[in-house]
């Protein structure tokens, strides 16, 4: 269970739960911890932490035995672990947020005036948070690849269903990202898409507004035996409401979790059957 406190006290940037499954769950945005020196620079909008991937760790808990989980405990307002560490935009020409966000998803400033991070501070945060997360993720993917010959990174995300600054209208419930098939074997993309499209009461898009973040694009190198796929869920699928306090809705989640379990089970079987080696 995630802490009910918006700012849990923890000195650890990353938590790794190590298992023997061929699937690795990445969770770069479910953390809500900010060190005091960053938290005190945020304005009231920033301190609400609205852009958290709320309760994603709880949603996926127990769905796949022996799964490895790499979870960032720090909040994305410290630094976004799913952005290029060099600050290169993943979506040129489209509204988005930066490596160290200065605004929230509604384009509202999150810092007190004059307290925004400069280049030195961004580099400090990259060293303290971004690098340890990706060092842990790279280590676990390689360990799993050594165990099975193949590893699948399933990158777990969620987002509010309506954010006019980022996209028009309502986002589909399942947004699958593979950077147009470049980050994984075609069977992985097909299996995930088929399960989502058959899920009654849910909507699906493949490589729509979200085509896979830096994590998916960086690690998804099928020729090396490491595949990656991003799943962006709308928060209406598992939250009571998409505003504070962003409470987890067990009844909603119980309708969603069987589909997520089927996805993870089928991805596991693709690896164990050797289907991805062709």
């Amino acid at each position: 269970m995630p802490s009910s406190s918006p700012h849990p006290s923890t000195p650890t940037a990353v938590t790794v739960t190590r298992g023997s499954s061929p699937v690795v769950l990445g969770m770069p945005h479910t953390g809500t911890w900010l060190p005091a020196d960053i938290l005190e620079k945020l304005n009231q909008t920033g301190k609400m932490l609205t852009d958290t991937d709320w309760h994603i760790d709880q949603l996926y808990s127990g769905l796949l035995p022996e799964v490895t989980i790499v979870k960032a405990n720090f909040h994305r307002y410290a630094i976004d672990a799913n952005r290029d560490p060099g600050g290169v935009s993943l979506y040129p020409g489209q509204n988005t947020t930066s490596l160290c966000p200065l605004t929230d998803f509604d384009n509202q400033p999150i810092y007190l005036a004059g307290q925004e991070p400069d280049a030195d501070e961004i580099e400090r945060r990259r060293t303290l948070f971004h690098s340890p997360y990706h060092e842990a993720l790279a280590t676990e993917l390689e360990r799993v690849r050594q165990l099975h010959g193949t590893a699948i990174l399933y990158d777990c995300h969620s987002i509010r269903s309506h954010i006019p600054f980022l996209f028009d209208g309502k986002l589909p419930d399942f947004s699958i990202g593979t950077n147009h098939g470049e980050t994984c074997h075609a069977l992985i993309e097909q299996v995930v898409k088929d399960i989502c499209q058959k899920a009654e009461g849910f909507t699906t898009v493949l490589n729509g507004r979200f085509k896979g973040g830096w994590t998916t694009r960086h690690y998804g190198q099928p020729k090396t035996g490491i595949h990656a796929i991003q799943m962006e869920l709308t928060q209406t699928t598992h939250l009571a409401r998409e505003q504070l306090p962003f409470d987890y809705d067990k009844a909603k989640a119980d309708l969603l979790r069987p589909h997520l379990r089927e996805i993870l089970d089928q991805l596991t079987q693709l690896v164990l059957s050797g289907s991805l080696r062709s």
Side-chain angles (χ1 to χ4, degrees):
M1 290 283 290
S3 171
S4 59
S5 167
H7 307 294
S9 177
T10 173
T12 306
V14 184
T15 297
V16 175
T17 303
R18 181 170 285 181
S20 58
S21 164
V23 176
V24 175
L25 302 183
M27 298 184 179
H29 294 151
T30 196
T32 55
W33 170 64
L34 286 171
D37 64 323
I38 295 178
L39 183 62
E40 66 187 9
K41 296 176 182 179
L42 297 180
N43 61 25
Q44 287 305 308
T45 298
K47 289 177 180 179
M48 289 193 294
L49 307 184
T50 302
D51 302 327
T52 306
D53 290 12
W54 297 99
H55 307 292
I56 279 292
D57 46 356
Q58 184 175 359
L59 183 65
Y60 281 91
S61 178
L63 292 182
L64 183 66
E66 287 296 313
V67 71
T68 294
I69 302 171
V70 179
K71 175 190 170 186
N73 294 316
F74 56 90
H75 193 264
R76 70 191 307 156
Y77 288 170
I79 194 167
D80 192 329
N82 198 35
R83 293 290 185 273
D84 187 318
V88 177
S89 176
L90 295 170
Y91 298 99
Q94 292 181 282
N95 290 338
T96 187
T97 52
S98 55
L99 177 64
C100 285
L102 301 180
T103 64
D104 65 10
F105 287 166
D106 297 312
N107 202 31
Q108 298 304 303
I110 61 173
Y111 281 91
L112 297 169
Q115 296 299 307
E116 300 86 353
D118 59 16
D120 288 342
E121 173 63 9
I122 291 171
E123 178 59 21
R124 184 184 78 93
R125 296 185 193 185
R126 189 191 66 78
T127 300
L128 287 175
F129 305 115
H130 194 284
S131 290
Y133 176 78
H134 285 285
E135 287 168 5
L137 189 56
T139 295
E140 293 309 309
L141 286 168
E142 179 58 22
R143 180 184 64 83
V144 168
R145 189 184 70 82
Q146 291 291 338
L147 281 175
H148 297 282
T150 304
I152 297 177
L153 169 60
Y154 180 96
D155 214 34
C156 307
H157 296 264
S158 75
I159 193 168
R160 285 178 287 143
S161 58
H162 290 87
I163 305 180
F165 178 66
L166 297 182
F167 50 84
D168 295 329
K170 182 183 184 297
L171 196 69
D173 299 313
F174 296 107
S175 285
I176 306 163
T178 66
N179 200 25
H180 298 292
E182 293 184 5
T183 66
C184 65
H185 194 289
L187 284 174
I188 293 174
E189 183 182 88
Q190 189 66 49
V191 161
V192 175
K193 183 180 73 171
D194 287 350
I195 293 170
C196 293
Q197 288 181 334
K198 292 175 184 176
E200 186 175 351
F202 297 94
T203 54
T204 301
V205 66
L206 173 64
N207 292 314
R209 173 60 179 84
F210 300 103
K211 299 173 176 63
W214 184 79
T215 304
T216 304
R217 303 185 201 191
H218 177 70
Y219 294 103
Q221 306 292 332
K223 291 182 179 179
T224 70
I226 296 180
H227 306 259
I229 188 166
Q230 177 176 306
M231 178 62 76
E232 188 91 50
L233 300 167
T234 57
Q235 293 177 346
T236 54
T237 63
H238 58 285
L239 298 186
R241 54 182 181 168
E242 295 181 315
Q243 56 187 2
L244 287 171
F246 294 100
D247 289 334
Y248 187 76
D249 188 318
K250 185 177 183 302
K252 286 184 177 181
D254 285 349
L255 296 175
L256 175 63
R257 277 168 53 87
H259 304 299
L260 300 177
R261 179 181 290 109
E262 184 179 3
I263 288 171
L264 299 180
D265 286 343
Q266 290 296 317
L267 294 182
T268 301
Q269 290 308 309
L270 284 177
V271 175
L272 298 183
S273 69
S275 300
L276 303 182
R277 297 182 185 180
S278 59

